[in-house]
Amino acid sequence: MEKAVERQRVLLQHLRPSFTSSSLEDIECSISASICSAGDSASYHRSSVFGDDVVIVAAYRTAQCKSKRGGFKDTYPDDLLAPVLRALIEKTNVNPSEVGDIVVGTVLAPGAQRASECRMAAFYAGFPETVPVRTVNRQCSSGLQAVADVAAAIRAGFYDIGIGAGLESMTINPMAWEGSVNPRVKTMAQAQDCLLPMGITSENVAHRFGVTRQEQDQAAVESHRKAAAATASGKFKDEIIPVKTKIVDPKTGDEKEVTISVDDGIRPNALLADLGKLKPVFKKDGSTTAGNSSQVSDGAGAVLLMKRSVAMQKGLPILGVFRSFAAVGVDPAIMGVGPAVAIPAAVKSAGLELGDIDLFEINEAFASQYVYCRKKLELDPEKINVNGGAMAIGHPLGATGARCVATLLHEMKRRGRDCRFGVVSMCIGTGMGAAAVFERGDSCDDLCNARKAETQNFLSKDAR
Amino acid sequence: MPVFKTSFNGYSVKFSPFYENQLAVATAQNFGILGNGRLHVLQLGPVITERAAFDTAEGVYDLCWSESHDSLIVAAVADGSLKIYDLSLPPASNPIRSLHEHARECHGVDFNTVRKDSFLSASWDDTVKLWTVDRPASVKTFKEHAYCVYSAAWNPRHADVFASASGDCTTRIWDVREPGSTMILPAHEFEILACDWNKYDDCIIATASVDKSIKVWDVRNYRVPVAVLNGHGYAVRKVKFSPHRGSVIASCSYDMTMCLWDYMVEDALIGR
């Protein structure tokens, strides 16, 4: 500090003829350590020019359509994935042979078959045989896990450019258990809880933490309203890649060529009164209904990640920076509380505080768990799922993570300077939660939305 | 017009003497008072691309390109060190040398353009030091100034002669073969922040001062200045002679402007 005061004195001398001697004396001691307005979080001095940052240059998704009845009911899964993979390459002009790996999060389909379908989708999308493909399954957060895996591999130096994607066709692969259950499960409560239908875990959360039916239905109405508004104002046009496919008429059997570019599960005129009439599905006196649960849908999403230095070399605009990821375990019987544990963990490992986050995408698996997490973390409802969530848009399990990344980053881009950090999080069946922190691409230098740290009386770490 | 925005405040910018489209920029956080520094190497073109960037613990106040190797840059750093970077080496092996002799901030460096083997550093510890790229310690220290030395400039024709500008209100002319200065020029009433030699007349020198003026001197007759250039509203931070026309001078100042001057004509200020 003395050094800085001395330096300031020398430099102020240069302005001397325009000061009277008395005012100069006042100025000489005008520098003092003050509370750093950016707080003391590690992310403060990680500025834009760290070439080893993992950045996202493109994130797209298909529309999400109701399974069995929606726009993708007659579309093969590989035909869902291929268009978004191709869009990443076409919109960024990246040479597909430079991609080091394609990781696809996918949940319900048989593992080996889905892995083959993904490999085929890469070929349909125009990738050469030299680009490898693999799948990852962390249930509902598989899409986010795929993005995190690619970010980790880039950071580890395995490759410089990678794609994290998500794919689910719940039309073709409904949720089901194959074969018999090991009777040993009866000996351990936690293992047995892993077999609970997701709706029961939702009822457990609502019951244990006192989330009312009214609150849940209200959250669903809000979700539909926000998603409808976002669709109407064309916000999703930035992130949705139209998919050319066919629809078979169930009665006549006629095939029709269509282009699907709009989410078809959103009900703009959802009313609290109508939702209130729905019967609980999982428990007679329960509160979880078809209206306040996520929709069963088909969809895909993909995210192109690379080292910042590579993106700069190619002159690609940086959509976001991947800052941190955390997956945590919770009680399987109340798996919906996952985000309430995972979000603080991810935010902490990014060197931030919850208050630094400007935007959240929290998956609405069920209104009960969504409302619980929002209340538990004391989050501002204005910052969460500003364009609606899974209750309106749908929840194709493996694709949701990638969908949320695309929605979050495009919204952050629209919000500009006032939105620096964003979080994607979801709960995970069998009792887990995952969360990732993203930073808006071009926001690193201007500390415009920095809050005042009230407790600490030091300059930030990078000042000596 | 292509623009490259550095994340810290700019302190110095120099063209490469070897490649017309290569530029190095010295920057420091918080106007050099507190914080880190970064040296950028930029490639000019339809768009400006960054060839390399080197981080330092404290602000970079000045830099100079080597006249003998196209990839070497010397940086003057606020912690008193001089760092030599080799652009042909990977970032991990840079800087190739960190010379730590000055007790206070290094404010200026200049590479010898005649013999092309040595460079000078001017520091706030009141000294100027002479270095060669291949030696780990300074060759010689010139200690006569009574206050911070802000810049040192080699004579463009005589390999051993240089001038130094200091906050003690003098500019001194030195010959590296002599133990002391060969001439003391009490050029201004206030601190002198920069000096530069005329590239076409090896006896003409310009000095820039806190008194807002630039003075042009002939070292053969230094009692009166050849010209006094008034026009800046605050202290003049840097002054340079044009490499293309003998009488043209460029200067930049704390008044946020840079001026072009022709000291031979009556209305000397030819551009702002």
Side-chain angles (χ1 to χ4, degrees):
Chain A
M1 205 64 220
E2 296 76 44
K3 217 165 164 184
V5 172
E6 180 59 21
R7 265 181 212 162
Q8 196 206 24
R9 196 189 59 76
V10 168
L11 293 176
L12 278 172
Q13 293 282 341
H14 297 174
L15 303 171
R16 200 161 147 191
S18 51
F19 288 105
T20 63
S21 59
S22 63
S23 74
L24 187 63
E25 274 161 26
D26 294 341
I27 279 169
E28 267 179 43
C29 49
S30 65
I31 189 172
S32 63
S34 66
I35 298 160
C36 175
S37 65
D40 200 28
S41 43
S43 59
Y44 161 62
H45 87 146
R46 281 197 68 88
S47 61
S48 65
V49 267
F50 280 78
D52 58 345
D53 274 342
V54 178
V55 301
I56 291 140
V57 298
Y60 297 109
R61 65 179 181 100
T62 64
Q64 298 195 162
C65 297
K66 290 189 259 190
S67 81
K68 302 212 159 89
R69 287 177 290 141
F72 292 135
K73 72 185 178 65
D74 302 305
T75 305
Y76 286 99
D78 32 354
D79 284 339
L80 278 177
L81 183 60
V84 283
L85 291 181
R86 180 192 287 272
L88 291 183
I89 296 304
E90 276 178 357
K91 304 229 172 185
T92 58
N93 275 327
V94 169
N95 181 351
S97 63
E98 285 182 73
V99 174
D101 199 3
I102 301 174
V103 181
V104 186
T106 181
V107 179
L108 297 171
Q113 182 186 332
R114 181 46 50 87
S116 308
E117 284 167 336
C118 291
R119 176 85 170 136
M120 286 144 74
F123 287 127
Y124 297 140
F127 285 84
E129 61 187 18
T130 50
V131 177
V133 179
R134 74 177 168 94
T135 60
V136 56
N137 191 344
R138 198 194 279 278
Q139 312 275 32
C140 306
S141 84
S142 300
L144 186 63
Q145 185 68 49
V147 173
D149 282 5
V150 171
I154 292 174
R155 202 159 286 170
F158 296 166
Y159 44 80
D160 287 342
I161 303 176
I163 292 175
L167 167 65
E168 205 69 58
S169 171
M170 296 174 83
T171 303
I172 294 171
N173 313 105
M175 292 176 85
W177 184 277
E178 267 178 48
S180 58
V181 177
N182 185 343
R184 186 183 168 187
V185 78
K186 298 223 166 53
T187 63
M188 196 176 234
Q190 278 178 317
Q192 193 157 24
D193 287 345
C194 292
L195 294 174
L196 288 176
M198 290 301 124
I200 300 294
T201 71
S202 162
E203 294 290 0
N204 290 346
V205 170
H207 180 249
R208 202 177 294 182
F209 302 107
V211 184
T212 64
R213 168 81 187 262
Q214 168 89 10
E215 281 176 302
Q216 296 179 39
D217 286 348
Q218 184 62 42
V221 170
E222 285 292 301
S223 184
H224 280 287
R225 185 184 58 76
K226 289 189 280 191
T231 306
S233 61
K235 281 186 177 177
F236 290 143
K237 282 197 181 123
D238 297 341
E239 58 188 72
I240 292 183
I241 299 300
V243 178
K244 279 206 175 83
T245 185
K246 57 172 190 204
I247 285 188
V248 182
D249 190 306
K251 283 175 195 147
T252 60
D254 291 344
E255 272 190 23
K256 199 170 72 178
E257 294 286 319
V258 286
T259 302
I260 306 290
S261 57
V262 183
D263 305 315
D264 65 12
I266 304 167
R267 287 188 292 271
N269 44 5
L271 288 177
L272 199 55
D274 298 337
L275 287 179
K277 288 178 202 149
L278 295 171
K279 288 209 176 74
V281 181
F282 300 94
K283 215 166 128 188
K284 208 182 266 172
D285 55 346
S287 57
T288 300
T289 69
N292 59 31
S293 308
S294 58
Q295 298 187 25
V296 178
S297 342
D298 310 329
V303 178
L304 180 60
L305 298 102
M306 58 181 72
K307 250 192 191 155
R308 188 196 293 274
S309 54
V310 176
M312 305 249 282
Q313 232 169 27
K314 294 184 181 296
L316 289 170
I318 291 167
L319 197 56
V321 186
F322 189 94
R323 283 296 177 213
S324 71
F325 172 79
V328 298
V330 296
D331 180 358
I334 48 165
M335 65 93 202
V337 306
V341 189
I343 292 175
V347 168
K348 187 166 178 237
S349 81
L352 295 170
E353 285 163 27
L354 217 47
D356 293 328
I357 309 299
D358 303 298
L359 203 61
F360 294 86
E361 277 291 327
I362 301 177
N363 188 41
E364 300 164 349
F366 295 97
S368 60
Q369 56 84 219
Y370 167 69
V371 170
Y372 165 76
C373 294
R374 191 178 73 192
K375 287 204 288 195
K376 170 78 183 171
L377 297 176
E378 296 173 355
L379 303 179
D380 179 358
E382 298 291 312
K383 291 181 181 174
I384 319 173
N385 297 0
V386 292
N387 295 323
M391 288 187 281
I393 301 171
H395 179 26
L397 309 187
T400 288
R403 195 279 295 173
C404 288
V405 172
T407 307
L408 178 88
L409 290 178
H410 283 280
E411 179 62 26
M412 286 171 80
K413 185 180 164 193
R414 274 192 293 273
R415 296 192 164 213
R417 294 181 142 227
D418 291 336
C419 193
R420 185 172 174 194
F421 293 106
V423 161
V424 170
S425 179
M426 63 279 288
C427 59
I428 302 171
T430 67
M432 289 181 276
V437 178
F438 298 87
E439 182 173 1
R440 200 170 59 83
D442 50 3
S443 65
C444 309
D445 292 330
D446 303 306
L447 299 167
C448 48
N449 62 341
R451 260 166 284 271
K452 247 189 179 161
E454 265 112 26
T455 49
Q456 210 174 12
N457 210 23
F458 306 111
L459 275 178
S460 120
K461 283 169 198 151
D462 63 348
R464 282 199 288 175
Chain B
M1 192 173 61
V3 172
F4 179 87
K5 200 165 173 298
T6 58
S7 45
F8 300 155
N9 306 109
Y11 247 81
S12 180
V13 56
K14 298 264 169 76
F15 273 106
S16 160
F18 293 93
Y19 306 108
E20 59 180 358
N21 56 355
Q22 217 165 83
L23 201 66
V25 187
T27 66
Q29 219 172 359
N30 303 316
F31 304 99
I33 291 171
L34 189 68
N36 305 137
R38 187 172 295 138
L39 181 71
H40 301 271
V41 181
L42 308 177
Q43 192 90 32
L44 302 183
V47 291
I48 301 178
T49 49
E50 187 175 60
R51 253 199 77 192
F54 304 105
D55 283 308
T56 54
E58 302 219 19
V60 187
Y61 284 169
D62 199 13
L63 69 99
C64 66
W65 291 85
S66 162
E67 298 284 336
S68 53
H69 298 285
D70 61 355
S71 61
L72 288 189
I73 299 178
V74 185
V77 185
D79 60 7
S81 67
L82 292 160
K83 296 191 189 294
I84 306 179
Y85 296 95
D86 188 340
L87 297 177
S88 60
L89 295 177
S93 39
N94 267 313
I96 53 170
R97 201 152 269 178
S98 184
L99 308 163
H100 217 293
E101 280 186 27
H102 283 298
R104 289 190 59 194
E105 291 79 351
C106 259
H107 201 265
V109 280
D110 196 35
F111 216 94
N112 192 315
T113 52
V114 181
R115 216 185 289 121
K116 305 180 193 294
D117 61 344
S118 54
F119 60 94
L120 290 169
S121 64
S123 162
W124 290 9
D125 67 2
D126 309 354
T127 67
V128 175
K129 282 175 188 281
L130 174 71
W131 312 77
T132 60
V133 174
D134 49 348
R135 268 190 252 191
S138 62
V139 180
K140 200 167 176 184
T141 302
F142 306 92
K143 186 168 172 53
E144 249 177 56
H145 281 295
Y147 192 61
C148 304
V149 189
Y150 294 111
S151 84
W154 287 104
N155 187 290
R157 202 155 297 165
H158 302 287
D160 298 308
V161 176
F162 71 91
S164 62
S166 162
D168 68 2
C169 308
T170 65
T171 287
R172 287 170 201 245
I173 315 291
W174 311 73
D175 187 316
V176 295
R177 296 163 296 194
E178 305 288 332
S181 62
T182 52
M183 186 184 293
I184 302 172
L185 202 65
H188 295 262
E189 299 282 310
F190 288 94
E191 289 191 53
I192 304 170
L193 301 183
C195 60
D196 194 35
W197 294 91
N198 190 315
K199 311 297 180 240
Y200 293 85
D201 185 338
D202 55 8
C203 292
I204 301 288
I205 189 168
T207 56
S209 166
V210 164
D211 68 9
K212 308 173 196 174
S213 74
I214 296 156
K215 290 185 183 175
V216 183
W217 305 84
D218 188 325
V219 291
R220 292 164 296 197
N221 175 20
Y222 58 86
R223 286 183 208 292
V224 282
V226 177
V228 179
L229 310 174
N230 283 310
H232 276 301
Y234 275 106
V236 187
R237 185 62 178 264
K238 275 198 180 161
V239 64
K240 283 276 178 194
F241 270 100
S242 164
H244 304 294
R245 274 180 57 199
S247 60
V248 172
I249 295 174
S251 65
C252 66
S253 153
Y254 281 99
D255 67 6
M256 306 295 208
T257 66
M258 75 140 298
C259 290
L260 277 179
W261 315 81
D262 186 334
Y263 77 88
M264 295 286 205
V265 301
E266 201 163 324
D267 271 333
L269 182 59
I270 52 176
R272 186 189 282 269

